[in-house]
Amino acid sequence: MRLTNLLRTMVSAFLLLLSAGAFAQTGEDGYDLWLRYRPLEAGLQARYGRAATELVATGRSATVEAAAAELERGLSGLLGRPLPRTARIGKDGAILLGTPASTPAIAAMKLPLDRVGAEGFVIRSTRIGGRDVIVIAANQDIGLLYGAFRLLRLVQTGAAPEGLDIVDAPKAKLRLLNHWDNLDRTVERGYAGFSLWDWHKLPDYLDPRYTDYARANASIGINGTVLTNVNANAEVLTAPYLEKVKALAGVFRPYGIRVYLTARFSAPIEIGGLKTADPLDPAVRAWWRAKADEIYRTIPDFGGFLVKANSEGQPGPQDYKRNHADGANMLADAVKPHGGVVMWRAFVYAADNREDRAKQAYSEFKPLDGHFRDNVIVQVKNGAIDFQPREPFHPLFGAMPKTPLVMEFQITKEYLGFATHLAYLGTMWEEVLRADTGHGGTVARVVDGSLHHYPVSGLAGVANIGNDRNWTGSHFDQANWYAFGRLAWDPDASARTIAADWARMTFSNEDGFVRPTVDVMMASHQAVVDYMTPLGLHHLMATGHHYGPGPWVNDLGRPDWNPTYYHRADAQGIGFDRTRSGSDAVSQYAPSVARIFADPKRVPEDLLLWFHHLPWDHRMASGRSLWDELVLRYGRGVAEVRRMRATWESLRPFVDPRRHADVAAFLRIQEKEAIWWRDASVAYFRSINRLPLPPGAPEPAMSLDAYKALSFPHAPGNPS
Amino acid sequence: MRLTNLLRTMVSAFLLLLSAGAFAQTGEDGYDLWLRYRPLEAGLQARYGRAATELVATGRSATVEAAAAELERGLSGLLGRPLPRTARIGKDGAILLGTPASTPAIAAMKLPLDRVGAEGFVIRSTRIGGRDVIVIAANQDIGLLYGAFRLLRLVQTGAAPEGLDIVDAPKAKLRLLNHWDNLDRTVERGYAGFSLWDWHKLPDYLDPRYTDYARANASIGINGTVLTNVNANAEVLTAPYLEKVKALAGVFRPYGIRVYLTARFSAPIEIGGLKTADPLDPAVRAWWRAKADEIYRTIPDFGGFLVKANSEGQPGPQDYKRNHADGANMLADAVKPHGGVVMWRAFVYAADNREDRAKQAYSEFKPLDGHFRDNVIVQVKNGAIDFQPREPFHPLFGAMPKTPLVMEFQITKEYLGFATHLAYLGTMWEEVLRADTGHGGTVARVVDGSLHHYPVSGLAGVANIGNDRNWTGSHFDQANWYAFGRLAWDPDASARTIAADWARMTFSNEDGFVRPTVDVMMASHQAVVDYMTPLGLHHLMATGHHYGPGPWVNDLGRPDWNPTYYHRADAQGIGFDRTRSGSDAVSQYAPSVARIFADPKRVPEDLLLWFHHLPWDHRMASGRSLWDELVLRYGRGVAEVRRMRATWESLRPFVDPRRHADVAAFLRIQEKEAIWWRDASVAYFRSINRLPLPPGAPEPAMSLDAYKALSFPHAPGNPS
């Protein structure tokens, strides 16, 4: 072929692809998450081009195949040329993927694999047979998959490809998503459309999206998923549904992800035909054993059960005058022969309990420490109320040395602006994990199991995933899914580092983009706290759907469902006294911590009204009165959102038009709703204290009655 | 730049795009519908390359912009190179797009624009100023958009680009989708996920998918969409929702699509604070007038209301002892000043009416002919029961010369296998449209308005669209959306031609693909009829969700909700006698038609048991007994599905892997469910007549009791 002919052919092929590429612009809709694998800039491409020329993976499991396929997909995208798979190292720049068992060359190397356990990995730049090689080694195949994703992250974020020497393993054993997905595909507290699980078409149709879900989770180390809502439906335990669960488990297995289900405590009655669900009744115990046997026959690596019992109307052992340990242990005995676990939620507050709701989980569970089977894990929300914009860490952390505690974070933003508010939760979770329990270590040391030498450890995140094209309802909410996985892998990881990695992989590696974007993310959670619930206020949202402000609500069936129960504002002051003069919830904390929380001068201002009822003219550190400070904080939150909008506007050159427009539209909504929160809250509290607004604070846009009259009967995520 | 350097640059760019293209393989997930615009094969590309070199569009409306943008997008994709926009014709191969008003060159041509009305167009190959030009001309901008899509269809389907001379205009004025979408995003009888309308984020966030929805609809001539369920919620008529509707209307407007809403008849009570919704009450009339004024202030081109009244529990004028005309006319008076219409559904069957349900709509509406305002349209389902797999045409067609009738087809497959059964409905609709009413013309002549000189005419299709990525829940269900649009534009269009066009645009232009695929599509509806409701049987599905067979059901609250009401099988025979000896429903047809339907020897066998109750040993045209023939038909349906599966398997080389696998998986489900329908139905009817199966017919796989015990509490699309 003459050069000119070749050129002509190339030009036409180029133009053809250009047009195909132009058409594929709809691809930038967020579906690819942080696994976009778009071409690197030329300099990095050249550098990595030399370091990644071929792929050698000798293992044959589905997990090794997944790892190799991901490297091929990722590196060919990033480097702009195919990554050939070869049987042996043939040139400089080979990537060698293997375990000592599968790959003699790796067995022959002195790699510190004894430090990485079953799931960790080693990545090392070295020379084998005179060739420059990047080795990804692990003890088990799943470590290879995690190592492959780690190498891809390095390339994606522009790290230097030379001299790699990484030894890493997860600190927590269970790293789980909790889906609050119902069998009708509605998602409780879901703001990303509807459930991914298309139960009706399972097990016959396996949506390719299930595989992408598994890829995304594996890329951040998630190793289990609870498919169903904690407000559970027993039907998922029937044979036809177990076949569907089995099909999903088959998709997830190569990615190291086990499936778990929620167990409705009354299932023996509802689907078993028994008259009772009493955990000490032999027939009930036999039913659960048989059910567990059936499940494990169907899904041999089934993870276990997650249970919400005797909470918010769910059935439980207390219906039969048994305690939580009785209930949990019965289920634990059923799954124990199969290696399963029971995660028993500590989120309880009894209908007939007049104690401060913040105290009830501790009161019920602390006495049970030491009474649970060794395959029971108690799952504790980060705070004692319910995923509020900010809570002090839960007093159970550190108080249950004999019972493994799993942290439950809420990734979905039930109380943090649904999908449309940009609120990066990495900082909130970091704050909780780094909190000193006063029992000899931080919360992170509790949940990674090291403080009390728990036999099992873990973190669970209530998923924000739905069938919206971008998975999480908004592009920036992907960062929360991502950050949860990273923190579950390493509870000591830095929220800022995680944010930066995510921003680079998801949008752009350019510093001019990354720095301001990370700054926005790092400031975003505090902004939401400020415009929704500043200074330690909490539980002020509207009823049911929790969309928007409702600090005035005081007519619900139970005292502790009412916002007024939590803020206790009157003409004189505001706040919930949880010191000794009040509910004494502070005493559930270790003395060193309790002393700080109990002292209005030492407690962090962001938790002030969580623990203290104070007069409106209480003098704050700023010198301002509490009332003026409160109003100022509301305004500060709105101002921060305006700054976020301006910053995002300035980043337009770095972001594809579709996603830039999506985020910009949501920031407009966030500003509108931040103003709504501020104005409605200020209008309400002013009606209580009759005080003037501080100078410069804007008048609320509408009357208090107008805010009260707003109604949103179809707000999403509301269980009907 | 030296040639070798240029070459090197080209090669690297080529490889880069290649990898990006490889990554974008997820693009072939069906989202692009029939507007894929993938590169044509080289021969056609060259031929069209000469015929389409530049685009000249001088109009400036958003509609002209949409037409020009679509031509750029489509032709650049199909031809593999950009289509430059120029201000004037500069070379051979220009495409000139314009109206006489916007484009003097078009005004100067002698084009038959007087024949195409407001929405039609002319496409003509001609010479202007010595250049070869393709002209797309219309009287209004919307005609240009339709013309642009028509030209694209020609290119997509490989039609010759030379000597174009097309003069076309829609035969029906209203071409509407009816969305049975609820405000909580569930979709009644929806099998494609959940509602596209993300009401919570409207009006602030406009999902780009709304635009793609409008493009797809405009491409097939749809010019209106009813956004909400006929089982209506009055809230959509409140101011906050009207703002959301306005936002959608703004997206759709450039594409010639008007929005309509369903009007809940009791809205004056529910959101208006009135004590009555009596259509003759002055306060009620004033409320609707004010509401219509408010709607039109918000959305000046609002289309009008669709109403389901006094049907299946919906409120209506009969609640106040008024008739349908009283109700419809009240609403018609409210929208009349604004140019709106009221579509009043004839799908009624009263709870206290003991008449054959098939007769009730005719009985109620026929006497009202001539009593409706001129902006009332009565919307009539294709058959008199309810979208059964096959029904004779509705006797109202032809019987209402003074009242415009709109055809209501159901695109969503409530009774035709949900999303997973391949059932092309073009043939079913063609059969209805071509039926001779006996009143001087076919059903098509009634709904296009020509038979009775209706001032308005139209077809409505109950949408099968949801938020599934492929829009319709299955790739082949896209064909039904497409076919509905094409038949609404031209009720005389050929179902086979439409199927071929769709298959070419959606999958492949290769004859080796198109012929067998169209054959599968053309045979598919009859296959479903055979394995579900052969020989004129109807309404035999399970209760509520309508998923699967339930011919045994006889315990529902109303006689005419029970399958046994419809099949009337006993030891002696089967079928619904609608002759004079029975319900005499035949007499609602014109005498020439009634004579055929009433005669078991002349009625089409596929409608035999719709009109006749016959003994099991009735001799069929085949010579077989009715029972043997019935069993044979069930088996024939299953056999056809097996053939469809085999054909699809053979087409693998022509189809991208993702979509091929999707369709193959659904065909497996279809086969499984076809066998279920056959076996459950045969097991049931055999239990009634105690007859042996004909030779060769397989034994049902399970016992009748086992079929009866199946339960599907979460089957989709079921209104709760």
Side-chain angles (χ1 to χ4, degrees), chain A residues 34 390 413 416 421-430 474-484 486 494-508 513-529 640-641 643-645 647-648 651 663 667 670:
Chain A
W34 49 88
R390 177 176 262 119
K413 305 209 310 299
L416 284 141
H421 294 212
L422 196 168
Y424 172 57
L425 304 183
T427 49
M428 180 173 87
W429 298 333
E430 182 182 62
S474 92
H475 299 294
F476 270 87
D477 278 344
Q478 297 178 353
N480 292 324
W481 179 10
Y482 181 81
F484 170 75
R486 291 283 301 270
S494 143
R496 179 175 287 274
T497 302
I498 294 170
D501 283 350
W502 175 82
R504 287 177 185 278
M505 293 190 280
T506 305
F507 284 109
S508 165
F513 172 81
V514 177
R515 258 180 298 117
T517 300
V518 171
D519 286 345
V520 161
M521 292 169 74
M522 294 300 289
S524 61
H525 170 250
Q526 183 65 47
V528 178
V529 170
E640 182 60 37
V641 175
R643 254 193 306 276
M644 289 157 64
R645 280 192 65 187
T647 302
W648 185 253
L651 297 175
V663 173
L667 285 168
Q670 184 173 9

Side-chain angles (χ1 to χ4, degrees), chain B residues 423-445:
Chain B
Y424 172 58
L425 304 183
T427 50
M428 180 173 87
W429 299 332
E430 181 183 62
E431 179 179 305
V432 172
L433 289 166
R434 294 186 178 183
D436 185 352
T437 64
H439 294 288
T442 61
V443 172
R445 293 291 75 73

Side-chain angles (χ1 to χ4, degrees), chain A residues 3-4 6-7 10-19 23-24 26 29 31-32 35-39 45 73 76-77 80-81 183-186 191 193-194 200-201 204-205 207-208 212 233 235 241 418-420 467-469 473 547 658 662 665-666 668-669 672 713-716, chain B residues 3-4 6-7 10-11 13-19 23-24 26 29 31-32 35-39 45 73 76-77 80-82 183-186 191 193-194 200-201 204-205 207-208 212 233 235 241 418-420 467-469 473 547 658 662 665-666 668-669 672 713-716:
Chain A
L3 195 60
T4 46
L6 176 63
L7 183 62
M10 295 295 307
V11 169
S12 79
F14 173 81
L15 289 171
L16 187 153
L17 281 161
L18 195 67
S19 75
F23 184 79
T26 49
D29 54 15
Y31 183 83
D32 295 335
L35 304 175
R36 283 169 68 242
Y37 304 142
R38 297 297 189 280
Q45 242 182 20
R73 175 182 194 149
S76 64
R81 52 154 180 68
L183 300 184
D184 64 2
R185 297 188 72 183
T186 57
Y191 312 104
F194 293 80
H200 182 69
K201 297 200 194 84
D204 299 294
Y205 178 65
D207 190 327
D212 288 329
N233 187 323
E235 271 171 82
Y241 274 92
F418 292 12
T420 45
N467 72 344
D468 273 5
R469 181 67 180 165
Y547 175 61
R658 161 77 188 269
D662 283 351
F666 281 18
R668 277 195 300 277
I669 294 173
K672 193 167 93 171
H714 304 290
Chain B
L3 196 57
T4 47
L6 177 62
L7 183 60
M10 297 295 307
V11 169
F14 173 80
L15 289 171
L16 187 153
L17 281 161
L18 196 64
S19 75
F23 185 79
T26 50
D29 54 14
Y31 183 83
D32 295 335
L35 305 175
R36 285 170 67 243
Y37 304 141
R38 297 298 188 281
Q45 242 183 20
R73 174 183 196 149
S76 64
R81 53 154 181 67
L183 300 184
D184 64 4
R185 297 188 70 183
T186 58
Y191 312 103
F194 293 80
H200 182 70
K201 297 201 193 83
D204 299 293
Y205 177 65
D207 189 328
D212 289 329
N233 186 323
E235 272 171 81
Y241 274 92
F418 292 9
T420 46
N467 73 344
D468 273 5
R469 182 64 181 168
Y547 175 61
R658 162 77 188 268
D662 284 352
F666 281 19
R668 277 195 301 277
I669 294 173
K672 192 168 92 170
H714 305 290

Side-chain angles (χ1 to χ4, degrees), chain A residues 20-259:
Chain A
F23 184 79
Q25 62 193 322
T26 49
E28 285 288 2
D29 54 15
Y31 183 83
D32 295 335
L33 296 162
W34 49 88
L35 304 175
R36 283 169 68 242
Y37 304 142
R38 297 297 189 280
L40 293 172
E41 51 108 345
L44 273 173
Q45 242 182 20
R47 221 166 138 189
Y48 264 103
R50 288 187 295 274
T53 59
E54 62 181 12
L55 175 62
V56 184
T58 51
R60 294 190 164 202
S61 73
T63 300
V64 171
E65 270 315 306
E70 196 72 31
L71 285 169
E72 286 178 310
R73 175 182 194 149
L75 290 173
S76 64
L78 289 158
L79 304 182
R81 52 154 180 68
L83 180 75
R85 272 190 72 178
T86 57
R88 57 189 58 81
I89 297 165
K91 52 185 166 185
D92 284 337
I95 296 173
L96 177 65
L97 186 81
T99 62
S102 74
T103 313
I106 285 173
M109 295 174 69
K110 290 187 199 312
L111 295 171
L113 288 171
D114 55 322
R115 285 159 51 196
V116 303
E119 295 183 301
F121 56 83
V122 173
I123 300 177
R124 183 173 285 183
S125 303
T126 185
R127 287 178 69 82
I128 297 179
R131 307 293 191 190
D132 289 331
V133 175
I134 294 175
V135 170
I136 303 175
N139 294 309
Q140 304 289 339
D141 289 349
I142 185 62
L144 300 178
L145 182 63
Y146 291 147
F149 276 115
R150 177 66 60 85
L151 180 63
L152 285 166
R153 189 211 298 170
L154 294 171
V155 183
Q156 287 173 283
T157 56
E162 301 89 8
L164 297 174
D165 188 8
I166 296 171
V167 181
D168 199 15
K171 290 185 183 157
K173 189 172 165 193
L174 301 179
R175 306 176 300 277
L176 310 184
L177 290 183
N178 289 185
H179 287 269
W180 288 358
D181 291 20
N182 299 313
L183 300 184
D184 64 2
R185 297 188 72 183
T186 57
V187 180
E188 184 161 338
R189 311 311 175 185
Y191 312 104
F194 293 80
S195 177
L196 278 188
W197 321 133
D198 189 352
W199 292 109
H200 182 69
K201 297 200 194 84
L202 284 167
D204 299 294
Y205 178 65
L206 297 173
D207 190 327
R209 191 164 188 172
Y210 302 148
T211 303
D212 288 329
Y213 167 87
R215 288 175 53 234
N217 278 316
S219 78
I220 52 176
I222 301 285
N223 67 357
T225 180
V226 185
L227 299 172
T228 45
N229 192 354
V230 288
N231 292 322
N233 187 323
E235 271 171 82
V236 80
L237 302 177
T238 61
Y241 274 92
L242 292 177
E243 285 300 313
K244 299 169 190 279
V245 173
K246 174 187 178 178
L248 289 175
V251 175
F252 301 160
R253 189 169 293 114
Y255 297 90
I257 297 165
R258 290 182 180 208
V259 298

